[in-house]
Amino acid sequence: MNDISIVLIISLATLAIGFVIGRYLLKQVYKKEEEEIKEKARLIIQEAEMKAESLKKEKVIEAKEKYLKLKSEFEEEVTRKKNQILSNEQKLKQRDSNLSKQMEQVKRKEAETESMKENLSAQIEIINKRKEDLEKVKSQQVRALEKVANLTADEARDQLVETLKEEAETKASSYIKEIMEEAKLSATKMAKKVVLDTIQRTATEHAIENCVSVFNIESDDIKGKIIGREGRNIRALEAATGVEIIVDDTPEAIIISGFDPVRREIARLSLHRLVQDGRIHPARIEEIVAKTRKNIEEEIVEIGERTVIDLGIHGLHPELIKMVGRMRFRSSYGQNLLQHSREVARLASTMASELGLNAKLAKRAGLLHDIGKVWPEEPEKPHAILGMELAKKYKEHPEVCNAIGAHHDEIEMTTLISPIIQACDAVSGSRPGARREVMESYIKRLKDLEELALGFDGVNKCYAIQAGRELRVMVDAESVSDNRAGQLSFDISKKIENDMQYPGQIKITVIREMRAVNYAR
């Protein structure tokens, strides 16, 4: 029992000693950590103070630099203002000096003027004195003449005036009569001279439009390709262009027949491209014809632009330029409309210059006078009135509009340019070989024939071929059946018999084609 007590006492003592030692060691550890923390805090504070000092120095330096910069700018501004003030002062001094010189000159001129006034006064007194002397001498002479003639001065003056008046009236009436007779004799002669000079100064070649174009080929072997198997290629070409392709025994040539120059040109260019390409079949023909038709539209614009540039006409509306280009493919009584309009423009310009009028307006009116003939639609109005309305629509000069509308006397002429355009139109059209009236009536009959057929329901296209002896009518396959196609052919033939006059007979061919198109993708 005593041993246990001793062990317990020793254990308690050991625990107490261990606790004291542990506490002491713990205090030492805490003390060391506190010192480390204090040291870190001191270092942080010291570093912050150093940064603050460095930042302070930077700000001070920056402030000094800004101050120096502002000071330098201020000094420069002060220097500039000072220089400007000095320059202004110098200018003012120079101006004062100039004013002083001018004042001296003015004073000197005033002195000279005063001197001249004095001299003039003396001269005026001398002149007045001489005038009085002359009046006295004149009165003495008048009295002497009155005694000799037994007439007063007023009576002599009245008799002289009356005699001179009668003589002047006699001479004036005689002079006026001579002038009127000379004017009557020379007016017609001068008018003919102006017209003849104008015609002689405008040289133009005349070529009557026909209804046939010739397409030259390198060899007759190509004819077979153009005709195609059982004639399918040539039928496709005729259907797409509306002309008649004549392939006969003519060596190395194919004849394209059609009254519309645009259709013939499209057919000719299409044939040229097909022969160059070598692939000639119906699908390719339709593709080439569509492209050619688009190219012709572009060419029309190009022809119009080139024409106005050649004639020196500026500011023409694009639509009017397009119509001018379309004239290239239009004929009037066999005379090409564009060549006719160009000739009228040149004649009008020359004649206006000879008469002292506005040559530019006359040339403009001459070019546009037949613009109503190329309007795509077929209105009921005369082409002169339609052309005038188109010119007004596109803001042309009123004198030009009146000249266009009055060149066939549809409206009253209100300007001097209008009779010039009418005369030049007659000159251009009446030259020998310029026109052929049979051609115009022939083309009109073909157009009337096509329009008559187009008036029936279901008709898509219509072409008069064989010089009007055959009418080919393309119908819509969906709206016109085979039976209806036969009936349509009969109806058109009866309509032509009742409404038109024509020589011989006309063959009406109605073509109905059914196509089914799909694409493999």
Side-chain angles (χ1 to χ4, degrees), residues 21 63 88 96 101 221 243 288 404 433 472 474 478 492:
I21 293 170
N88 291 336
D96 290 340
K101 290 180 181 178
D221 295 338
V243 300
I288 291 294
I404 295 171
R472 292 190 180 178
M474 317 290 180
E478 295 181 358
I492 293 174

Side-chain angles (χ1 to χ4, degrees), residues 5 73 119 155 177 182 209 261 295 323 327 351 415 424:
S5 301
E73 291 177 354
N119 294 332
E155 291 174 350
K177 187 176 180 181
E182 184 180 354
E209 295 284 341
N295 293 338
M323 291 183 190
M327 288 182 184
M351 196 175 291
T415 66
C424 293

Side-chain angles (χ1 to χ4, degrees), residues 343-411:
E343 184 179 2
V344 172
R346 291 196 181 96
L347 289 168
S349 175
T350 307
M351 196 175 291
S353 299
E354 292 287 336
L355 298 174
L357 301 176
N358 192 329
K360 291 185 178 179
L361 283 181
K363 185 186 292 184
R364 202 179 189 96
L367 179 65
L368 300 177
H369 79 284
D370 274 342
I371 204 77
K373 288 185 177 180
V374 293
W375 183 244
E377 301 173 4
E378 293 290 338
E380 297 296 330
K381 300 177 182 177
H383 74 272
I385 301 298
L386 179 60
M388 180 184 68
E389 292 176 355
L390 289 172
K392 287 180 180 178
K393 178 182 177 181
Y394 296 117
K395 306 294 187 300
E396 283 297 317
H397 196 278
E399 292 189 18
V400 175
C401 298
N402 181 258
I404 295 171
H407 79 278
H408 285 312
D409 292 323
E410 277 85 0
I411 63 172

Side-chain angles (χ1 to χ4, degrees), residues 207-212 258-261 264 330-336 434-447:
I208 297 176
E209 295 284 341
N210 53 33
C211 294
V212 173
F259 72 92
D260 192 333
R264 290 204 310 272
R330 175 74 158 81
S331 61
S332 177
Y333 295 98
Q335 185 181 22
N336 185 271
R435 289 187 172 184
R436 186 170 63 197
E437 295 191 10
V438 178
M439 175 66 70
E440 185 71 12
S441 60
Y442 163 69
I443 290 175
K444 186 176 184 305
R445 180 167 63 84
L446 296 184
K447 284 188 175 180

Side-chain angles (χ1 to χ4, degrees), residues 31-45:
K31 187 176 180 181
K32 187 176 181 181
E33 288 180 353
E34 185 178 357
E35 288 176 354
E36 289 178 355
I37 291 170
K38 287 181 178 179
E39 182 64 22
K40 287 182 179 179
R42 187 181 63 77
L43 292 174
I44 291 170
I45 293 169

Side-chain angles (χ1 to χ4, degrees), residues 67 93 102 127 134 166 170 207 227 232 247 320 390 470:
Y67 167 74
K93 288 179 181 179
Q102 290 177 1
I127 290 169
L134 286 172
E166 291 177 358
T170 304
I227 295 171
R232 64 175 187 173
V247 182
L320 291 179
L390 289 172
E470 182 177 354

Side-chain angles (χ1 to χ4, degrees), residues 458 460 475-481 512-515:
N460 288 338
V475 297
D476 184 9
E478 295 181 358
S479 60
V480 178
S481 63
R512 178 179 179 272
E513 182 182 16
M514 183 66 185
R515 292 191 184 187

